[in-house]
Every structure is written in C-alpha cells, then in structure tokens.
Amino acid sequence: MEIENQNIQISIVVPLFNEEESIGELTDWISKVCTENNFNYEIIMVDDGSTDKSWKKVEELMISNNKIKGISFRRNYGKSAALNVAFEAVKGDVVITMDADLQDSPDEIPELFQMVKEEGFDIVSGWKKKRYDPITKTIPTKLYNATTRRVSGIKLHDMNCGLKAYKKEVVKSIEVYGEMHRYIPVIAKWAGFNKIGEKVVQHQERKYGKTKFGLERFLFGFLDLFSITFIGRFGKRPMHFFGTIGSLMFAIGFCFALWIGIDKLFIDKTGTLIASRPSFYIALTCMILGVQMFLAGFLGEMLARNSPNRNIYLIKAKTANLDD
Ligand code: UDP
Ligand code: MG
C-alpha cells in the first residue's frame, strides 16, 4: 500500500455536496478511463457536509475500489474549503479537480494529464465552449469572465470551470479559502505560476439534483475578485495603497483650504462667511478622508507585520551548496 501511494500519477479530486445519485456513476467512469490508460491514480472525494446519503455511498464505493479515498466535513463549508483539504491530502504528480454532478467528463483526464506532464503547464483549465446550462447562468458568466480577464490579465475563457488540472507543486503552494475557488488561476498567478493553459472540454446537462449556487454567485464573485486583486498587489504593503489615496485626498483638501485662506485674507473683501462657501466643505471632507485613509494604511501595516505568513515566500529552487 505504501509503495502504491508513493508512485501515484494522478489524484482526482471531487468536491461533493448532496450528490448521492451521481457519485457511483462518476467513480465507475473515472476508474474505467484510468484503468484503460494504465494510470496509477487515486480519487479523493470530499463530502462537504452533505445531508443526503452521499457519505454512506462513498464508504460503500471504497469497499469495492481501494483507489477511492474520502474526507467528510461535519457541516457544509463550501467548495473552496473542500478543495483546500483535498489539496493537502493529494499524493499524485498531477491533480485533476472535477465536479461530482457528471457535468464534467472523465474522458478528458488523459489529455489533461498529458498537457501538465509533457507540455509542462502549471495549470490547465477546462473551457466549456458549448455549455448546457440555463441562459440565466450563461450570460452573466460571459460578463464575469470578461471582467476577470481584464482585471487579472489571465486570458482564460472559462475561469470557474470545475474541471482543471494542476501540477502537484501548484496545489501544495496555494490556499483556497472563502469562495475563492472561482479564482484559483489568479491565486496561482500571484504565487508565481505563469504557464496557464486551456482545453476545450465536453459539458453535459446536470443529470441529477440541482445546482448548489444561486444568482448571488455573481455578486460574491465580483467582490472576491476585488479582494484577491487587492491582497495580491498590496497584501504585503497596504500603506502603498491607502497612503497613495490618502495623500492625494489630503493634498486636494489642503489646496482648497489654502486658497480659501488666501482669498479671505487678501482678495475677497466682501465679508462672505467661509462656512457658506462650497469649497470649504470640499476642503474639509477631503482632508478628513485623507487622514482616515492614512489611518487605514497604518492599521493595515500593523496587521501585515503581525501576520504569521508575512515572510513566507515560495522558493522555486536552491543551489545545492546552500545549507538547509
Ligand atoms: N459543491 C460543494 N459544496 C458546496 C456547493 C457545491 O462541494 O457548498 C460541489 C457540488 O457538489 C459539485 C460542485 O461543487 O460537485 C459544483 O457545484 P454545482 O454543480 O452545483 O455548480 P454549477 O455546476 O451549477 O456551477
Ligand atoms: Mg454543476
């Protein structure tokens, strides 16, 4: 068993939440494809706090197929959490994630494996070019993908495709938290993994059950995009962000205040009250906002300085003559 665990080529990760009808069919199909291609593989099923018989089903399947391994959450934490614990557990050189609802096809596994192993991609993301989803989902998805492409600079057509393949090193280096599974390529890019590819994949209509995400996915998705870009760019130097805006605001306010002062003292002799001039309010607001921004920057710096991963840098290689 030990030796078998060491030479695993592919780890297939399946997050599942109330998918009892489909997991048997899915694991059979994955096993068939992997056996035909002579892969040494493992399937890691993460039950994300299902309330149906999913976990029981996983335990049953394990008895007849020892490639299947399972983790079960006590409650529903979300797809990101499920992926994160699976990424900690995987042993394979190539890691392939796949939804449990049979919308993604296991027939794509050999080619995805090939692209990571032979062509050297860090990540290969599936692209559901022809989708079988309701129109209420496909249209907002297009908008979401276009925005993500612009903001992140990663040219993927289908950022949030559940079917993706990774080099082991990638999943061991990144942390997927909150709802960040939508942006794994962005997280990986910030971690320094640049060879990100795409493969057109087959997509099916959901056969059993229903989708686990509603329309709120788009709002949350955009908010997450902001957070992730901010953390990636300024996470280690928050003052550069808040300080820049703060200085700018303060400078604008200060110019207005200076102008009001000069005008009152030397130019305008009609005796208009300073407080009745619009520029007075602009000056006041800008200066207060500027100071607030500075304070936010200082607080950010203090948090960053005390954060446990402030000095964690991913090291790609070291020369052999360096001591460990
Ligand atoms: N999923 C999960 N936890 C959740 C929601 C979803 O593990 O809280 C799993 C779900 O079981 C499925 C995958 O994530 O395997 C994708 O979910 P779904 O098919 O509902 O999303 P859609 O295809 O509609 O984007
Ligand atoms: Mg689905």
Side-chain angles (χ1 to χ4, degrees):
M1 194 70 193
E2 256 318 292
I3 293 165
E4 218 174 274
N5 262 344
Q6 278 168 6
N7 299 319
I8 293 175
Q9 295 166 289
I10 310 184
S11 298
I12 293 137
V13 168
V14 184
L16 57 109
F17 178 49
N18 294 344
E19 311 277 8
E20 58 181 3
E21 303 99 327
S22 53
I23 47 186
E25 224 169 288
L26 180 73
T27 47
D28 285 352
W29 191 354
I30 295 175
S31 308
K32 188 178 134 260
V33 173
C34 289
T35 317
E36 277 171 11
N37 288 275
N38 281 324
F39 288 136
N40 188 7
Y41 69 101
E42 63 177 358
I43 306 176
I44 300 195
M45 315 281 287
V46 188
D47 165 27
D48 183 12
S50 297
T51 49
D52 66 357
K53 296 200 189 65
S54 294
W55 180 243
K56 217 166 154 254
K57 189 87 207 177
V58 172
E59 286 181 318
E60 270 170 39
L61 290 164
M62 274 174 63
I63 298 170
S64 54
N65 184 350
N66 67 0
K67 308 280 187 195
I68 299 177
K69 303 167 184 178
I71 301 169
S72 177
F73 282 157
R74 199 165 283 283
R75 49 159 273 226
N76 177 241
Y77 285 104
K79 190 175 174 183
S80 295
L83 290 177
N84 204 49
V85 298
F87 286 168
E88 275 171 23
V90 290
K91 296 212 165 64
D93 298 334
V94 174
V95 179
I96 297 181
T97 60
M98 187 176 283
D99 287 355
D101 54 3
L102 293 165
Q103 288 196 272
D104 302 326
S105 160
D107 289 335
E108 309 284 354
I109 293 174
E111 210 170 315
L112 286 170
F113 176 77
Q114 189 73 12
M115 285 176 80
V116 174
K117 202 72 196 169
E118 310 288 324
E119 295 170 43
F121 283 100
D122 292 321
I123 299 182
V124 181
S125 181
W127 173 14
K128 295 161 287 189
K129 201 167 183 181
K130 186 153 176 39
R131 288 185 73 135
Y132 295 89
D133 276 319
I135 194 154
T136 46
K137 187 160 146 193
T138 50
I139 290 178
T141 297
K142 284 217 163 78
L143 185 73
Y144 152 88
N145 276 314
T147 315
T148 312
R149 270 198 298 276
R150 271 204 79 93
V151 175
S152 69
I154 301 174
K155 303 283 169 254
L156 287 181
H157 290 90
D158 190 1
M159 185 69 66
N160 184 23
C161 183
L163 184 55
K164 285 190 172 62
Y166 307 86
K167 255 190 202 138
K168 183 187 196 174
E169 196 195 345
V170 177
V171 303
K172 296 291 183 191
S173 313
I174 60 174
E175 204 181 3
V176 195
Y177 68 98
E179 294 265 296
M180 294 299 182
H181 60 267
R182 298 193 179 89
Y183 298 107
I184 298 181
V186 185
I187 299 176
K189 190 187 163 198
W190 281 114
F193 298 101
N194 286 320
K195 198 156 188 279
I196 300 174
E198 188 164 55
K199 177 185 183 308
V200 175
V201 294
Q202 292 290 327
H203 187 237
Q204 272 91 229
E205 222 168 300
R206 212 180 215 285
K207 203 162 159 189
Y208 310 102
K210 54 179 193 301
T211 176
K212 307 296 183 300
F213 300 100
L215 280 178
E216 79 282 351
R217 72 167 88 203
F218 297 106
L219 176 63
F220 294 167
F222 283 120
L223 293 176
D224 284 346
L225 182 59
F226 288 131
S227 317
I228 216 160
T229 315
F230 175 75
I231 299 281
R233 219 173 264 177
F234 298 106
K236 287 199 188 291
R237 50 191 185 101
M239 193 51 159
H240 287 184
F241 176 78
F242 292 107
T244 310
I245 304 181
S247 321
L248 208 70
M249 291 298 256
F250 194 86
I252 295 172
F254 187 76
C255 290
F256 271 105
L258 199 68
W259 160 245
I260 298 169
I262 294 171
D263 190 44
K264 180 78 186 168
L265 285 176
F266 308 112
I267 304 169
D268 178 29
K269 300 288 180 203
T270 56
T272 341
L273 284 177
I274 285 181
S276 65
R277 300 169 62 160
S279 41
F280 170 73
Y281 294 97
I282 297 175
L284 206 63
T285 322
C286 285
M287 284 167 80
I288 292 174
L289 281 179
V291 173
Q292 297 268 28
M293 284 289 171
F294 260 99
L295 286 178
F298 281 126
L299 288 177
E301 284 293 334
M302 281 163 76
L303 286 175
R305 166 181 272 262
N306 288 312
S307 114
N309 53 10
R310 64 187 176 278
N311 274 333
I312 292 184
Y313 310 105
L314 296 169
I315 290 167
K316 192 167 159 191
K318 271 186 187 176
T319 58
N321 52 1
L322 258 180
D323 295 335
D324 247 343

